[in-house]
Amino acid sequence: MSRPIRLAVRGLLLVDNRLMLVNAWPGGTSDLLCAPGGGVEPHSSLHDNLIREFHEETGLDVSVGPVCLVNEFHDPPRDYHQVDIYFRVTLVAGNPLQDWTDPEGIVTERYLLSRDELATRRVKPDSLADVTWGTGVSADGSTFYDVLERSLR
């Protein structure tokens, strides 16, 4: 029997044209970076979930803007499938350069990376740079959609 598809929300925050990314692998077991966010809790809006998750992982308060990307990835051997909804976010309060410790201990590192720096790191999804520094929409004017990608560790 297959596990249900997991729904998550993530935020794209630019600070001085640098993207906030986190290493969300407990104990730093992987160098893969992603945008802050996480699993959606039932009976709470996507926006409220993202505000909560973003704060847990970065210590920053954000306001949530428009959806800019829908990405899904899977790991068939683990019977895992996740759909991420990415929103543009704006910093409301907090210092992105100040040290922060994730209270859940999942995020071990956080970064502000330029587009050039991002190109030298392992990140998911593959379209992250184009969505972040591009128009945020695909050629036909809709939100970007990344077809099923394999999970990486």
Side-chain angles (χ1 to χ4, degrees), residues 20-36:
M20 172 70 66
L21 293 175
V22 297
N23 177 339
W25 294 91
T29 57
S30 174
D31 63 346
L32 185 67
L33 301 178
C34 62

Side-chain angles (χ1 to χ4, degrees), residues 95-109:
N95 182 349
L97 301 177
Q98 189 173 40
D99 286 339
W100 178 255
T101 301
D102 179 355
E104 293 186 2
I106 295 172
V107 169
T108 56
E109 301 169 334

Side-chain angles (χ1 to χ4, degrees), residues 85-132:
I85 301 173
Y86 286 75
F87 294 84
R88 295 199 181 278
V89 298
T90 304
L91 182 63
V92 172
N95 182 349
L97 301 177
Q98 189 173 40
D99 286 339
W100 178 255
T101 301
D102 179 355
E104 293 186 2
I106 295 172
V107 169
T108 56
E109 301 169 334
R110 66 180 187 168
Y111 301 92
L112 282 173
L113 299 177
S114 69
R115 187 170 189 160
D116 288 342
E117 291 168 327
L118 186 72
T120 69
R121 305 300 294 266
R122 282 188 350 119
V123 299
K124 276 296 181 185
D126 294 341
S127 63
L128 191 58
D130 290 338
V131 171
T132 300

Side-chain angles (χ1 to χ4, degrees), residues 57-80:
E57 293 189 356
T58 68
L60 304 174
D61 294 328
V62 295
S63 63
V64 180
V67 172
C68 55
L69 170 66
V70 175
N71 173 261
E72 59 178 319
F73 63 92
H74 69 139
D75 185 353
R78 292 189 316 141
D79 190 28
Y80 189 78

